[in-house]
Structures are given as C-alpha cells and as structure tokens.
Amino acid sequence: MTEINEVSEKKTQNILSEIGQLVVKNIRDYMMYIVLVGIIIFFTVTTDGSFISAGNISNLFNQAAYVAVLAIGMTVILILRQIDLSVGYVAGFSGAVCAILLTNYGWPVWIVIPLVILIGVFIGFYQGMLVTGVGVPAFVTTLAGMFIFRGLLGVATSKTGTIIIKNKAYLALNNGFIPDFKNDTGYHLVTIFIGIVAVVCVLVTQIQNRKSKEKYNFNVVSMPIFVVGMILVSCVIMLIITVLAKDQGIPWSAVIVAVVLLCYNFILNKTRLGRYVYGIGGNDQAAELSGVNVKKVTLIAFMAMSGLAALAGILYSSRLASATPTAGNAFEMDAIASSYIGGVAVSGGVGKVTNTIIGTLVIMSLTNGMNLMGVDTFMQYIVKGIIFILAVAFDVTTRRKNR
Amino acid sequence: MSDNILEMKNITKTFPGVKALDNVNFSVKRGEIHCLVGENGAGKSTLMKVLSGVYGFGTYSGDIVYDNEVVRFKNIADSEQKGIAIIYQELALIPELSVYENIFFGHEIMKGKTIDWNETIVRADEMLKKVRLNVDPSMKVKNLGVGNQQLVEIAKALSKNVKLLILDEPTASLNEDDSKNLLELIKELKKQGVTCIMISHKLKEVKAIADTITVLRDGATICSLDGTEKEISEAEIIKNMVGREIDNIYPARINHKISDKIVFEIKDWTVEDPLKGREILHNVNMKIREGEIVGLQGLMGAGRTELALSIFGNTPHYNITSGELVMEGRTLNIRSPREAINEGIAYVSEDRKGNGLILIQDIKYNNTIANLKELTDGIVINANEEIKVSNFYKDSINIKAPSIEQKVGNLSGGNQQKVQLAKWMFVHPKLLILDEPTRGIDVGAKFEIYTLMNRLVEEGMSIIMISSELPEVLGMSDRLYVMSEGTITGELEALEATEEKVMALAIKH
C-alpha cells in the first residue's frame, strides 16, 4: 500500500517539476496568456460582467478585426527587421476609395473589394521597390508613405468630407454575422458546428504532431500535461463558441481574420517562402549566400502588407459605414504593438502570427474595456503604452536569460 | 608576496543544462606568458570571462585571488580597475572613430569637464610607440588592417596600465607576418612586466612563446606544463587536449585516384570592386579536376575570398569585367548564389557566424535552407523528410548536439562548422569551395573535417580549399595555386611544394 503511495507521489512530483520547467522555458508565451486573462478578469469585474457578454465579445471581434489583419502582416515585416509606418493611412485611403466607388459611382462590391486590395498590393510594390531596389531604409520610405497617403486621403474626401456607405453586403463585412438555418433551439447551429470542427481540427493536428515528434525521439511534454492542455484549449474554444451561439453567431469579421491568419500561418510554417522570411530576419547575409533571393522575399512581404492594409481599410470603413478624413490615424501603432506584445523579437528573426493575434486581443481588450469604463482616449494611450513597453522589456530580458 | 599574480581556485560555472567549468584551478606566475589551450567548448573563454567579470561575482562558485587579495569582480569595469584587460577574438574597436579616440574610449583624458584632445593625441602616440605601430593616430580604425587593429587594441589595454593582459586567439585572423610581429610584441611586454594569458589553437605559436601551458578539457584542468625547462612536444599537448593520440594530423587518401577529367575551369577572370572602382582580380586562370583538392594560398588581402565569392555569383558586390567559368565543358552564366548552387557550386564561408549560419535557428533549419526544393512536395515542405535528412547528416558527420532541434548559436565552433558542411553537402555540389574551413576550431574537429574532405573527394567531388595556414594547405592539397594582389603567381604540385616556395610566390608582385 505504502509502495503504491510512494510511486504515485513520485509521479506527481515528476509532473510538477516538468510543469516548472515548462513555465521557465515558455515564460514568454505563458505571460502573454496570463496578461490577457488578467485583463479580461479585470474588465469583467469593473464592468459588472458586461465585458464578457455575447454582445460585447462580438463587438470586440469587430473592433479588433482591422488591427488583427494589420498586425499579421506587420509580424512578417518585423521578423524581416523592416518596418511599415504607412499602413494606417494606406488603410484610410483604401477605405475612402471604396466609399467613393460604391457610393459616388455605384460600382458593385465584388469588383470594388478585389480592386482596392489590388491597389494596396501595388502601393506595397512601390514601397518595397524603394526599400529593396533603391535602398532607401523602410523607416524613411514608409514615413514618406504616411505623409503621402494621409494627403491622398484628405484629397479624396475634401469635397464631401465624410462619405457614407450604404451598400448592405459591404456593411455586413464588419457588422454582420454568418447565416444560420431556421431553427427554434435558441442556438446558432452553424456556429456550434464550426466550433466542433475547429476543436476536432486542433486535436487531430496536435495529436499528429505529437506522434511524429515521438517517432523521431524529440522531446514532448508528458501525457497528462498534454491531455490537460488539449482539454483546456477545447474548453476555451467551446466556451467562446457557446457564448456567441446563444447570441447571433460568429461575426463575418472573425471569419475574415481567421482566413488571413490561417494563410499566413501556413506560409510561414510550411513553405519555402516562410522559411526564407525567418532566415533573412536571422541573418540576411547568410540567407543571401544560401541562395535566398532576399530582395524578392522582402518585396513580397511589403506587397502583402499593403494589400492587408487595404483589407483593413475595407473592414474599418465597413464598420463605421463611412470613410472619414481621419481614418487610419495611429493604426500602425496598434499593429506594431500587437506584434511585439505577441512576441516578435525586437532583433528580428523570431515571431509567430498566432501569438500576434493574442497580442491584438490584449491591445483591443484594453481599448474595448476602457471604453466601457468610460476612460478618456488619452489615458487609454498611456495605459496601452505602459503595457506595450512592459511586454517588450520582459521579452528582451527573458530572451537574454535563455541564451 | 607570492610569485603568483593570479590564482583561480575551484571555479565552477554552470549554464542552464551544462556545466561549463567544473572545479577549475588555474594559476599564473607574475610576469610570465601563460598559454591556455583546449578544444572548443573546453571552457577557456568561459574561464577568462569569469576572471574579467563578464560573468560577475555570484554567477560562479570558487575564489579568485589576484595580486594576493581575494577579488569579487561584478563587471568588466571592476577588473579593469585592477589592471586586467581582455582582448577578444572579435575586436571591440569602433571603425568610424580614429585610432586615438579608440585608444582612450571609455577612459577619456579630461581637462575639467571636457575632453583634452591634445593630451589624448600625445598619449596615444606614446602608446602606439610602445606597440611599435607606426600610423597616424588620427587615422580611422576602419582603414587599418586586422593586424594593426589588433595592435591598437593592445595599445588601448596598455593605456589603462594593464598588469594582466588576456588575449583570446589573437592571431586567428592574422597572416604569418602579423602573427610573428604580435608574438614579438607580447615577449616585449613581458620584459616590461606585463603578465599575459593567451588562448590559442595554434600549437606552434604556443610552443614558441609559452612559459607555461595549461590544458583544459570538458570544463576541467587537465594539466599545467612548464615550458621553460624542457621543450613540450605538440603531440603531448594534443594528447592532453583530446584525451587520445592523433598520429597524423592530415589523414592520407589511400587508393585515391584523381581522374584526368577537368570539372571546373576559370578563364581570364577579372573583377572590379564597384564601390572602390578598382580591379581586385586580374586574369585569374584555374583548373580543377574531378576528385581533386586544390589549395588556394595567399596572404590576407590577396583576393582569395573575393575570387570565391565572385564565382559564387555574389554579383552586387563584384563587377565581373571579363572572364568565363566552365563547368564540365559548358560555359556558365551565374548572376546570383542561387544560380551558382543550381550549377553545382557550393561556398562554405570563412565567417560562419557573420554570413554562414543563421545562429538563432536550429541545426535542422540550417542544414536544409540551401536546398529546400528537394524537400518540397508542391508548395509544402515535407517536415518528416527534413528530419530524416538532418538526422542523416548529424550522424554521418558526427555533429555533437542533443538533437537536430538545437540552436546553432549554442554549438561550439567545430560543430558549427560541421553544420555548415552538412548544409552544403545537402546541395550535392560538384565543386565545393571551402574558405578557411578550420579557422578557430580545435584539433579534434579539424581532423574530422580533413577526414570528411577525403571522403568527399573519394566520392568524386572536387574541392577548392582556401586557407591561411600553410601546413594545412600543404598537408591536404593535391595541387595548389598561390595568389598575390589579385593574380595567380604560381601553381605547384603537392609533391614539389614547400613552405618556402609558397611564401616566395605569396609575396611576389
């Protein structure tokens, strides 16, 4: 009897020490989640629960969508040790072009959206060529871009001021929800279905991943921790899904962000292009001498970034149902902060778009929560700035220790 | 007063997961030249970093007695205060500043609240005389050669009234002349009463200069040999370093026949540096046969690396004004490293940290980065195949690491070099250009790399080996070319080549 006790005691001790090691090793990632949970709890308490109401969660997703899209693109730019300051006003300008084409010219949505994204890609081509071809540093190129597109946005909206958009399909992008079957269960069935599919996908890929790691004798976390982790992740997904399903379902904006995220995650982790991005960020000379076309990869990243900026502009103008002369102001700040809070290394070469999304949620939860509390906008900037600098300082110190 | 200036007692230093130093005892006599040798990863640099306060008091255990008192340095400033100066392999000078600004950087000579530049220049001149460097102190450091930069570093140390000078592989990037000069200077300083600890891989130097040799292996002191009374043989040092005997430093290629087939040919290769607008290579002609190791010798600045990089398609930096490359009878048109790789040329960089490897990525990543095409089905990289490939190379060329997921930046120099080799072997080249393949790596790893080179040529690969170490080039090449100031000054068969002949060609104009 005592023997069995001893054995099980030993086992728990082993697991505890493993958890300890995991925490030490991944403190950076865990910290991000802890901060996010802390923020959520804080606002839930201070707003008497309205922060985690279904309505506010969809609202948070809708608010965060344009920042998330920008932050995903920015992550790649920052991994490459570049920067793009122009994204805010490229977004603002793109929104204005959409509004003009839809409202003043009456063009159909399915032409306007691809066209505007294409214009964005072209803007990225112009800026990327300046950086890679001419050799102007990205900071200068995109600072100039900031001037230019702020000006163009002003010119585009100078006659009319704010341009109202009334196209229903366009407005649904960042205000609407995915459709559902007619039913009287009180739940949004398609949402629940998507939630289940998501959980199954996560479980299958994680289990496959673990199996292939075991096959090659790589380190994997012990079974109990793995199982608990999987249960935790599944619960979180299903919790959010249930809350949303009780209300109006998944907002379109979340779908759009998810698609962009999956594409970027796939490219960064599974393709040569993604490998090259990390290689260039880690050591561009070594990458060049390994046969990587550094200029081409950098140019592609800038084109994708501005394309996403255009998409962000579309989402933002859809949400406001209008294009305003001030749209785009300080978007780049939220995007860059999201990436860094999400763990992109300040020295480049390291970063994950999946973590950037968490960074975006941190930043936008702060915005959303403080709005609910009625905190003044300028105070909000101060709070966000403090959280941002703390995150990066923490990142820099933990990275140094791990070396 | 004890005649030991320094005694380090039972020093233990651990990093997460590794014990870098394990109860090391190390004592240095006043006024001697003490060489510290050992394989890479043996703990030499770590020991010196503990001494100089880079790893401050509290991060290690054990005692340091310096000048008869127990010292507890918290940082470099503390140790400098006591007259300890350390000069790293990678020089710590600021290229854009002048020689005198560099010498007094960090301890400027003040007159009231401002810097006294006149006095600084006068004092800098004195220091330069001490190290016998005859340059204008107002020259920018970037315009000096590596050898002279090294001397400026020493001048800087002297300006701080150094009593104990630590040199970490001072001659690693110097040519023969500069090395000789530096070693003479160290002897000179000894006469002036400066004690010197020198880390070096070059055993010949060590033998020539050391009063005492301490050998470290796997973080422990193996022995201290007294060189003043009787001569210590290289074999004895090597035996202690690697813990076993290596009979022949350069393994022989038995039963290896070089075919008559010419694989690669460089014809009338003339190259201009587009930034400086002057010619750096003139009418270079070379032929490489299948299965041959061709040595490329020359002094620093003779144009060897430039030749390699211009062949390898590093075109933005080199303007090829005339010439032709022929691979197996076919004229090549190479405009980028990618095209060079596709044509079967691989270049293993001399600067593995600077432009060879991506240090923050793991072994697997670095192993496959130059040939991901082979691992890609459609657009997705086959992760399983990649693991197989990387494990294959890890075993095949004996990369010592817990797994292929180890970050390359954490490996020792020899293992980093093996990762570089694995990366380029995986592109299956016909011509492998090795630029200083054994720079800064220990005897054991050197031997492994030589053996690997033999294996590769036996499999039919051709190798161009660029090296500054004469014995290595003579020991490994089948044939060798000597370069001087951008031209090939001679071609020698291995059998007829001697150090004298090669040097004569290397300094020919």
Side-chain angles (χ1 to χ4, degrees):
Chain A
M1 192 61 197
T2 43
E3 234 171 61
I4 296 169
N5 267 345
E6 264 172 30
V7 169
S8 67
E9 221 167 71
K10 228 179 192 177
K11 258 192 178 168
T12 31
Q13 260 179 4
N14 279 344
I15 288 176
L16 282 180
S17 80
E18 192 186 342
I19 291 175
Q21 281 169 7
L22 276 177
V23 168
V24 171
K25 210 173 143 198
N26 299 316
I27 184 82
R28 176 69 189 71
D29 287 358
Y30 292 166
M31 201 57 180
M32 199 165 65
Y33 294 109
I34 293 167
V35 167
L36 181 59
V37 171
I39 289 171
I40 291 171
I41 291 173
F42 176 79
F43 285 126
T44 307
V45 172
T46 52
T47 61
D48 292 330
S50 61
F51 183 76
I52 50 159
S53 67
N56 193 52
I57 287 181
S58 338
N59 189 27
L60 176 63
F61 282 156
N62 279 331
Q63 263 179 348
Y66 75 92
V67 178
V69 166
L70 289 175
I72 290 168
M74 192 63 80
T75 299
V76 174
I77 296 282
L78 293 174
I79 292 174
L80 286 167
R81 280 188 289 182
Q82 304 284 357
I83 193 146
D84 192 340
L85 299 173
S86 71
V87 292
Y89 287 109
V90 170
F93 171 67
S94 304
V97 173
C98 279
I100 291 169
L101 293 179
L102 289 167
T103 305
N104 299 2
Y105 292 88
W107 288 23
V109 179
W110 56 270
I111 290 182
V112 171
I113 290 175
L115 180 72
V116 168
I117 291 176
L118 210 65
I119 292 173
V121 171
F122 182 76
I123 292 169
F125 178 76
Y126 144 77
Q127 298 200 121
M129 279 311 284
L130 276 172
V131 174
T132 60
V134 184
V136 183
F139 184 86
V140 179
T141 302
T142 59
L143 185 65
M146 220 171 157
F147 277 98
I148 293 168
F149 295 105
R150 184 177 204 169
L152 284 174
L153 170 62
V155 171
T157 53
S158 62
K159 275 191 208 152
T160 49
T162 299
I163 307 165
I164 307 291
I165 303 169
K166 288 187 177 140
N167 187 306
K168 274 199 183 128
Y170 190 85
L171 296 184
L173 284 177
N174 208 354
N175 298 297
F177 297 86
I178 57 169
D180 194 17
F181 313 108
K182 273 216 171 102
N183 68 73
D184 43 346
T185 53
Y187 282 93
H188 195 283
L189 291 181
V190 175
T191 298
I192 293 197
F193 176 71
I194 289 175
I196 291 167
V197 170
V199 168
V200 170
C201 281
V202 168
L203 291 181
V204 168
T205 51
Q206 287 299 317
I207 290 168
Q208 271 178 352
N209 206 339
R210 184 186 170 86
K211 271 192 184 157
S212 89
K213 281 201 164 182
E214 274 173 342
K215 202 168 106 193
Y216 293 106
N217 287 327
F218 288 165
N219 285 334
V220 288
V221 295
S222 64
M223 206 38 152
I225 296 181
F226 180 73
V227 171
V228 170
M230 287 299 98
I231 291 173
L232 214 67
V233 169
S234 311
C235 285
V236 169
I237 295 175
M238 285 321 289
L239 189 74
I240 297 171
I241 287 294
T242 327
V243 171
L244 290 176
K246 256 193 202 163
D247 196 40
Q248 301 183 70
I250 300 174
W252 275 117
S253 60
V255 176
I256 293 170
V257 171
V259 170
V260 173
L261 178 67
L262 288 176
C263 286
Y264 262 71
N265 197 39
F266 174 79
I267 291 169
L268 283 178
N269 293 319
K270 301 276 179 192
T271 70
R272 276 189 266 167
L273 182 62
R275 283 302 176 85
Y276 294 162
V277 166
Y278 287 110
I280 294 168
N283 183 345
D284 56 341
Q285 289 192 52
E288 177 84 47
L289 286 178
S290 304
V292 176
N293 192 334
V294 174
K295 288 183 176 177
K296 191 169 125 193
V297 174
T298 310
L299 179 62
I300 291 172
F302 272 100
M303 287 165 71
M305 176 75 260
S306 297
L308 287 183
L311 177 59
I314 292 168
L315 292 174
Y316 190 73
S317 57
S318 159
R319 176 162 173 72
L320 294 191
S322 64
T324 65
T326 55
N329 184 25
F331 284 11
E332 70 284 347
M333 282 159 60
D334 283 337
I336 294 169
S338 297
S339 301
Y340 282 141
I341 291 175
V344 174
V346 187
S347 50
V350 178
K352 282 183 188 161
V353 281
T354 43
N355 286 351
T356 294
I357 287 293
I358 305 295
T360 307
L361 283 177
V362 168
I363 283 281
M364 293 317 285
S365 300
L366 285 172
T367 309
N368 178 293
M370 286 191 284
N371 279 342
L372 285 182
M373 286 172 67
V375 177
D376 164 68
T377 326
F378 298 113
M379 275 309 291
Q380 292 192 15
Y381 276 127
I382 296 172
V383 172
K384 284 199 269 184
I386 290 170
I387 300 274
F388 176 26
I389 199 64
L390 284 178
V392 175
F394 183 75
D395 185 46
V396 171
T397 40
T398 49
R399 247 180 246 290
R400 196 168 42 217
K401 272 187 196 144
N402 281 343
R403 216 173 18 195
Chain B
M1 202 167 171
S2 139
D3 59 344
N4 281 345
I5 187 167
L6 174 75
E7 276 176 43
M8 298 179 81
K9 292 175 188 163
N10 301 322
I11 303 289
T12 298
K13 162 89 192 161
T14 46
F15 291 110
V18 250
K19 215 171 205 180
L21 296 174
D22 190 1
N23 267 314
V24 169
N25 287 297
F26 179 61
S27 45
V28 178
K29 290 196 199 89
R30 196 176 299 276
E32 72 167 348
I33 297 174
H34 194 125
C35 285
L36 191 55
V37 297
E39 294 194 284
N40 276 351
K44 301 168 306 231
S45 297
T46 312
L47 185 65
M48 290 303 105
K49 282 181 179 167
V50 167
L51 172 57
S52 61
V54 174
Y55 301 133
F57 179 74
T59 66
Y60 60 87
S61 68
D63 285 325
I64 303 175
V65 180
Y66 172 73
D67 233 358
N68 297 314
E69 63 172 311
V70 176
V71 286
R72 295 174 169 184
F73 300 134
K74 282 193 206 68
N75 48 43
I76 300 188
D78 283 359
S79 67
E80 276 185 357
Q81 188 85 36
K82 297 274 185 185
I84 299 177
I86 182 163
I87 297 175
Y88 297 102
Q89 205 173 340
E90 287 91 16
L91 297 177
L93 297 171
I94 300 159
E96 287 293 337
L97 292 185
S98 68
V99 170
Y100 69 81
E101 283 170 303
N102 265 293
I103 291 179
F104 289 95
F105 194 88
H107 57 289
E108 289 77 7
I109 301 171
M110 306 299 283
K111 193 158 84 182
K113 290 256 178 235
T114 57
I115 298 173
D116 185 347
W117 287 119
N118 293 331
E119 180 65 16
T120 303
I121 294 172
V122 172
R123 289 274 304 281
D125 221 20
E126 279 170 28
M127 295 303 149
L128 290 177
K129 283 211 179 83
K130 274 195 185 170
V131 299
R132 286 176 299 169
L133 177 61
N134 190 16
V135 296
D136 179 0
S138 60
M139 217 169 136
K140 278 190 182 173
V141 160
K142 67 169 182 185
N143 296 328
L144 294 173
V146 199
N148 286 345
Q149 290 189 8
Q150 188 81 258
L151 295 178
V152 172
E153 275 272 19
I154 295 176
K156 183 175 174 181
L158 292 180
S159 74
K160 297 177 200 162
N161 293 319
V162 62
K163 280 192 264 175
L164 178 62
L165 181 66
I166 305 163
L167 297 151
D168 191 352
E169 296 210 44
T171 60
S173 49
L174 301 190
N175 63 29
E176 304 258 328
D177 273 355
D178 283 345
S179 301
K180 230 183 211 168
N181 192 9
L182 182 76
L183 296 179
E184 282 302 314
L185 176 65
I186 293 171
K187 282 188 191 166
E188 187 89 0
L189 291 176
K190 176 185 162 186
K191 280 181 199 153
Q192 294 169 18
V194 177
T195 312
C196 184
I197 301 173
M198 184 169 106
I199 297 177
S200 180
H201 280 304
K202 297 187 181 170
L203 297 183
K204 255 195 188 149
E205 284 176 11
V206 170
K207 251 179 67 181
I209 197 171
D211 296 315
T212 312
I213 299 170
T214 293
V215 182
L216 287 187
R217 187 170 78 223
D218 301 329
T221 323
I222 298 302
C223 62
S224 258
L225 306 164
D226 189 347
T228 46
E229 282 170 15
K230 74 172 183 45
E231 185 149 331
I232 305 161
S233 71
E234 267 184 59
E236 193 181 347
I237 305 174
I238 293 174
K239 198 181 92 187
N240 283 309
M241 277 170 72
V242 297
R244 69 195 140 85
E245 303 207 30
I246 291 181
D247 310 329
N248 197 342
I249 304 177
Y250 306 106
R253 292 188 282 281
I254 312 154
N255 300 328
H256 176 52
K257 268 197 180 157
I258 301 160
S259 79
D260 292 335
K261 189 179 144 199
I262 289 173
V263 172
F264 188 70
E265 214 179 332
I266 303 168
K267 290 181 179 168
D268 299 324
W269 195 249
T270 302
V271 174
E272 220 181 59
D273 183 337
L275 292 179
K276 293 179 188 152
R278 71 187 168 86
E279 241 176 57
I280 46 174
L281 295 170
H282 328 278
N283 280 315
V284 171
N285 284 286
M286 277 174 85
K287 282 179 187 154
I288 294 98
R289 289 195 278 267
E290 192 177 83
E292 189 179 31
I293 297 181
V294 174
L296 186 55
Q297 240 290 324
L299 300 176
M300 198 63 60
R304 298 164 305 171
T305 297
E306 288 79 359
L307 176 61
L309 282 172
S310 62
I311 295 169
F312 194 59
N314 202 4
T315 36
H317 307 287
Y318 301 104
N319 201 354
I320 295 145
T321 46
S322 81
E324 196 184 357
L325 301 176
V326 182
M327 174 78 82
E328 295 175 328
R330 208 162 42 82
T331 302
L332 304 181
N333 181 19
I334 292 172
R335 284 158 304 178
S336 69
R338 175 84 274 153
E339 288 178 346
I341 294 167
N342 291 343
E343 296 289 0
I345 303 174
Y347 169 71
V348 180
S349 171
E350 59 175 334
D351 181 5
R352 57 178 170 266
K353 288 184 182 169
N355 50 26
L357 295 167
I358 295 161
L359 298 175
I360 58 171
Q361 297 290 348
D362 59 14
I363 295 175
K364 178 170 59 125
Y365 180 102
N366 278 284
N367 197 163
T368 56
I369 182 74
N371 193 16
L372 285 173
K373 213 180 203 169
E374 195 174 310
L375 296 172
T376 314
D377 318 328
I379 56 166
V380 181
I381 296 167
N382 185 333
N384 287 338
E385 205 48 43
E386 185 182 20
I387 292 167
K388 264 189 212 161
V389 164
S390 186
N391 269 328
F392 167 78
Y393 282 104
K394 179 173 178 282
D395 297 340
S396 145
I397 65 175
N398 192 22
I399 298 170
K400 284 174 208 137
S403 89
I404 53 171
E405 294 198 317
Q406 180 79 22
K407 276 192 186 152
V408 169
N410 297 335
L411 298 177
S412 71
N415 282 313
Q416 285 183 351
Q417 189 68 326
K418 286 184 199 163
V419 175
Q420 270 215 97
L421 286 168
K423 161 177 156 185
W424 290 110
M425 280 162 71
F426 181 53
V427 307
H428 319 300
K430 293 175 201 146
L431 174 70
L432 179 66
I433 306 173
L434 300 175
D435 198 347
E436 303 284 0
T438 64
R439 172 180 286 173
I441 70 178
D442 57 70
V443 195
K446 266 185 190 177
F447 184 79
E448 285 182 272
I449 284 172
Y450 297 142
T451 314
L452 178 64
M453 284 168 69
N454 285 351
R455 197 177 98 197
L456 293 176
V457 289
E458 270 156 27
E459 286 164 8
M461 203 181 282
S462 307
I463 293 178
I464 297 178
M465 178 167 87
I466 301 172
S467 171
S468 296
E469 281 183 53
L470 260 179
E472 174 176 281
V473 177
L474 294 174
M476 288 302 295
S477 311
D478 295 307
R479 195 157 54 85
L480 59 107
Y481 290 95
V482 185
M483 279 184 90
S484 171
E485 297 188 356
T487 48
I488 299 272
T489 48
E491 179 187 348
L492 296 165
E493 288 296 328
L495 292 175
E496 55 167 345
T498 60
E499 297 207 8
E500 290 75 19
K501 276 187 191 167
V502 174
M503 276 319 285
L505 290 170
I507 55 173
K508 189 169 149 187
H509 295 309

